[in-house]
Amino acid sequence: MKKLLFLILVSCSLIKIGRTQAFLNGDFETTTAPSFCSFAYINVSNAFFTANMSNSFGFGPGGSIDIMHTSCPWGPAQSGNYFIGFDYNSTHPSHNAFSMQLSTPLVTGSSYTISFADKGDPCCIPPGPVEITLSTVNNAVGTTIFAGPSPTVGVWNTRTFTFTAPNNGQFITVRALSPGYWTQVDNFRFVTPLPAMDKLQLSAKNTGTNTTVSWKIDDETDIKQYIVERSVNNDMFKEIENITCTQSRIYHIQDPLYYKGTALYRIALVDKDGVLHYSKTVEVSKNDSEENTFLKVYPNPAQNFVSIETSFEKGELQIIDLQGKIILKQSANLYQNVDISSLQKGTYYVRVISEKGHSTHQKLFVY
């Protein structure tokens, strides 16, 4: 009887362990690559990547993955020091691909949530969107579990997706979904529920020129920080503010109400282990008869490319030098990436003009 009870307990423990998954090197920090910038670790072979990146395996026909360090011109990493770059060559169709080993195989039919960060290399556009698959082997693409939008050039975006495991694979593979230039990824991790999130009270209220986003949570024991995210008109969620947990339990932020239509807000809570937990979303709408003037230019200072957010769905975007000469002109919309590689180092103005004639501007520093 004792032997039977022991076997039952061991079996239950194995089931529990088998369902607790983690990336063995999802942040790419376990590597033998040097901690200084070196072109020797750009466009490396699959064999070199596999030998130098722990629990990761290069296998794509492109055979030219980048092991990138935050000190290099293409940095910084989203967090830590190392991240990975890859592309899909449209001239000679072939892609780079790599796999990451999990601590245990996934359970077929079970639900999982993964988050990671991506961005486009500022050297060239457009970057290729990311395809993620679940594979039972470390050297081949498996079944697709995520197909992302195009990354933002020069800006890290956190992607989070939930999927039902199509097989019992132990390898997550990554490659570019379609022809494009260099894409960078970092910080792959499983997102697990945090009990405190069930009690988080989130609200968003239109106050005329701003949206007031408020939340309350009673238990902040394991909470490190809050990331406020916004989605406008069914676009991807974007981070708008990052707040360190102060144990005050009640928080408020002001978000410029520059969009038209409906916006969704959510809170990404970061626990002490660095794992993300997402709240439910709340909705707020803007009166379409209003037209606010909002402009965000980043990064600033910038080199090669700059991202621009504006309140005008249609209009004109101009980049003007200090003598008042229009150096660059193109159509304006809510979100856009602008190639500034032809600009000389110096100070410029970014100006957007709406169809109704409203305008706003901001300084841009090019280095």
Side-chain angles (χ1 to χ4, degrees), residues 191-208:
V191 178
T192 55
L194 191 69
M197 292 303 285
D198 295 335
K199 299 181 180 179
L200 185 144
Q201 302 173 39
L202 175 65
S203 64
K205 182 180 180 181
N206 181 341
T207 56

Side-chain angles (χ1 to χ4, degrees), residues 61-342:
S64 57
I65 309 175
D66 292 348
I67 300 176
M68 314 190 86
H69 191 267
T70 198
S71 65
C72 299
W74 316 277
Q78 192 208 31
S79 66
N81 291 311
Y82 291 92
F83 56 106
I84 303 300
F86 56 93
D87 81 339
Y88 184 128
N89 191 315
S90 58
T91 304
H92 304 287
S94 64
H95 58 258
N96 297 312
F98 67 95
S99 67
M100 296 169 286
Q101 186 174 356
L102 305 178
S103 56
T104 58
L106 300 190
V107 178
T108 304
S110 294
S111 179
Y112 301 90
T113 301
I114 288 176
S115 75
F116 71 99
D118 66 16
K119 74 180 177 79
D121 192 312
C123 77
C124 34
I125 57 172
V130 177
E131 179 190 50
I132 297 176
T133 80
L134 177 63
S135 180
T136 56
V137 294
N138 64 14
N139 60 354
V141 171
T143 303
T144 301
I145 56 177
F146 176 79
S150 293
T152 304
V153 174
V155 178
W156 286 109
N157 285 316
T158 299
R159 315 293 186 186
T160 302
F161 63 96
T162 300
F163 65 98
T164 299
N167 55 55
N168 65 338
Q170 194 173 355
F171 301 93
I172 298 295
T173 78
V174 181
R175 67 174 181 173
L177 183 61
S178 60
Y181 291 102
W182 289 91
T183 294
Q184 299 163 356
V185 292
D186 199 2
N187 292 322
F188 284 81
R189 62 186 66 192
F190 283 89
V191 178
T192 55
L194 191 69
M197 292 303 285
D198 295 335
K199 299 181 180 179
L200 185 144
Q201 302 173 39
L202 175 65
S203 64
K205 182 180 180 181
N206 181 341
T207 56
T209 58
N210 292 286
T211 292
T212 300
V213 181
S214 305
W215 65 98
K216 176 182 178 182
I217 187 166
D218 292 331
D219 183 5
E220 296 185 289
T221 304
D222 296 318
I223 300 173
K224 181 180 179 181
Q225 64 192 82
Y226 300 97
I227 301 172
V228 185
E229 298 182 343
R230 180 214 312 122
S231 172
V232 178
N233 299 335
N234 298 316
D235 196 4
M236 291 290 296
F237 274 93
K238 298 178 183 292
E239 177 180 330
I240 59 172
E241 193 149 351
N242 193 315
I243 296 176
T244 301
C245 176
T246 60
Q247 302 294 321
S248 61
R249 298 188 299 124
I250 300 176
Y251 299 83
H252 308 277
I253 70 155
Q254 299 293 321
D255 180 35
L257 191 61
Y258 68 88
Y259 54 84
K260 288 185 177 181
T262 299
L264 299 175
Y265 291 89
R266 70 182 182 188
I267 302 295
L269 181 153
V270 184
D271 68 22
K272 291 183 178 179
D273 294 323
V275 179
L276 291 170
H277 309 269
Y278 285 91
S279 72
K280 297 178 180 179
T281 61
V282 293
E283 180 180 304
V284 65
S285 297
K286 176 185 180 295
N287 186 341
D288 285 352
S289 65
E290 300 174 359
E291 183 172 56
N292 293 313
T293 54
F294 173 88
L295 178 63
K296 181 179 180 181
V297 178
Y298 60 94
N300 195 0
Q303 183 182 37
N304 295 327
F305 290 91
V306 66
S307 296
I308 296 174
E309 295 184 27
T310 174
S311 53
F312 307 139
E313 288 185 298
K314 293 182 180 180
E316 184 175 273
L317 183 148
Q318 302 172 348
I319 295 183
I320 305 168
D321 65 17
L322 293 181
Q323 286 71 48
K325 181 182 179 181
I326 298 176
I327 306 299
L328 184 151
K329 182 167 60 175
Q330 66 181 53
S331 297
N333 50 59
L334 290 175
Y335 302 107
Q336 58 213 301
N337 295 313
V338 180
D339 183 351
I340 59 170
S341 58
S342 62

